[in-house]
Amino acid sequence: LGAGPSTSLGTGKVFVELTKPANRPELYYALLPNTPFANELLVKLAERLMVEERLGADEVPDVLAVVFSANDYVGHRFGPYSEQVEDITLQTDALIARLFKFADERVGAGNYWVVLSGDHGVAPTLEQARARGIRAKNLMTPQLYQTIFKALEVRWGNDEWLLAGGEGVVFNREALARRGVSLAEAAQVVGEAAMTVDGIMGWIASPEVRASGAGMTGLPAGYAEAFGLSEYPGRVADVDFLLEPYTLINGERGTTGHGTPHSYDTHVPLILWGAPFRAGVYYDRVTPVDIAPTLAAALGITPPSGANGRVLAEALRQPPAGSRCTD
């Protein structure tokens, strides 16, 4: 990576293009998280933490969480079928092996447990999908919102109907009140308008709006549950949209993203390793939220108050005597 940190894992040549802004340290450090070298620094930090915090030095269990966010950034920028993702995946594998070896030396082989998972997948870029014969679509944000604004204007006149924000639609309650429009009515108009935009598969109203009478359209079985698990009171759009598979928002930039309930976004690994776990491959449906109650069961303690997953009993050996864990 130019004159950046050295690595024993590889040259990182596929990332050379990221270092073109020469003699600009601030640009270099801004780009560093988009490379495997960020993961190397992370593992060095994890090793230092194990030493300085004396992790595993007594009978009280310690937790060390390591998040390889650089893989996320590289996936967004280059897509899952790129040389860059291949390179960072291989280097991450070697870094994880290095961290395990350090833990073996520090606390002893077999004296620690490992949980490996991910928070999401990533869609292929438009180019990658189309090269594989997939009819990937590009949805332009201005096109979607122009369609929505036009539908609201035709129905009730011109007004500041929506608030600026993140994904989805948030209604301006003051505008609705001025026009005597209910949340349910506005959501229905927006949802129906969005369904006319190429690349939109369905829509769903927030719990607040659903309580007022609106609903959803075009969501396959199970997808409403997925949206529901992503809802948090006060932080959810009034209307959210489901993209057709492999559709990207503003994907003409060559980058990609995630955030749909489709399998390429939601299928992640879940690996448990260590003394409490029974070796095997299990095909039942699981999610990362099952990790906390499963670890609690293995430790013989009550799960955290916010845990809402299930204990993966099929992957556990006999729980410790005196376990107070509840499912």
Side-chain angles (χ1 to χ4, degrees):
L1 186 67
S6 62
T7 177
S8 59
L9 302 178
T11 61
K13 288 182 178 179
V14 293
F15 293 92
V16 168
E17 68 175 84
L18 294 176
T19 66
K20 287 181 179 178
N23 302 318
R24 296 284 302 278
E26 71 279 10
L27 293 180
Y28 167 78
Y29 287 111
L31 293 168
L32 180 61
N34 294 270
T35 74
F37 302 99
N39 284 343
E40 184 177 12
L41 294 174
L42 179 67
V43 168
K44 287 181 178 179
L45 174 61
E47 293 170 344
R48 183 68 178 271
L49 280 170
M50 293 177 66
V51 174
E52 299 297 333
E53 297 295 332
R54 296 176 50 80
L55 301 186
D58 54 33
E59 296 301 315
V60 179
D62 298 306
V63 177
L64 175 64
V66 182
V67 182
F68 293 95
S69 295
N71 300 65
D72 181 282
Y73 301 146
V74 173
H76 273 284
R77 181 159 185 160
F78 299 104
Y81 301 114
S82 62
E83 291 181 349
Q84 290 86 348
V85 165
E86 179 182 14
D87 183 68
I88 196 171
T89 301
L90 292 172
Q91 297 201 46
T92 303
D93 181 75
L95 282 168
I96 291 173
R98 166 180 152 178
L99 187 59
F100 290 169
K101 182 178 180 181
F102 186 88
D104 287 345
E105 297 170 352
R106 185 71 189 172
V107 303
N111 291 334
Y112 60 93
W113 310 341
V114 174
V115 178
L116 177 65
S117 189
D119 55 347
H120 56 74
V122 67
T125 65
L126 294 177
E127 180 181 9
Q128 290 167 356
R130 290 166 180 170
R132 289 159 176 78
I134 299 172
R135 295 182 61 189
K137 297 178 180 179
N138 179 47
L139 175 61
M140 300 295 291
T141 301
Q143 176 193 3
L144 173 61
Y145 283 92
Q146 286 170 8
T147 301
I148 289 171
F149 273 112
K150 184 66 175 177
L152 291 168
E153 183 179 2
V154 168
R155 181 69 177 272
W156 293 295
N158 184 35
D159 211 323
E160 297 179 3
W161 293 108
L162 306 180
L163 298 178
E167 298 179 359
V169 164
V170 178
F171 293 114
N172 182 345
R173 268 51 174 182
E174 294 181 358
L176 295 183
R178 280 195 300 269
R179 299 283 180 165
V181 179
S182 70
L183 279 170
E185 291 174 317
Q188 196 68 37
V189 168
V190 165
E192 292 175 358
M195 293 292 287
T196 67
V197 177
D198 193 27
I200 295 293
M201 182 176 178
W203 65 274
I204 182 170
S206 71
E208 176 190 2
V209 182
R210 291 201 296 271
S212 70
M216 64 191 77
T217 297
L219 270 65
Y223 277 37
E225 178 189 7
F227 274 94
L229 291 171
S230 299
E231 295 170 344
Y232 188 86
R235 301 182 186 177
V236 61
D238 293 320
V239 178
D240 209 344
F241 306 111
L242 172 64
L243 302 179
E244 293 181 11
Y246 302 102
T247 295
L248 293 179
I249 296 179
N250 303 324
E252 82 289 342
R253 297 171 298 184
T255 56
T256 184
H258 52 82
T260 74
H262 302 312
S263 61
Y264 54 79
D265 275 349
T266 58
H267 188 191
V268 298
L270 178 53
I271 300 171
L272 306 172
W273 179 86
F277 307 114
R278 180 184 295 116
V281 178
Y282 306 96
Y283 295 97
D284 291 338
R285 184 176 183 271
V286 301
T287 85
V289 299
D290 298 331
I291 294 171
T294 301
L295 288 178
L299 290 167
I301 63 175
T302 302
S305 60
N308 57 11
R310 71 178 182 91
V311 175
L312 301 177
E314 64 270 29
L316 281 175
R317 300 181 189 275
Q318 185 66 31
S323 171
R324 294 179 287 111
C325 182
T326 59
D327 189 353

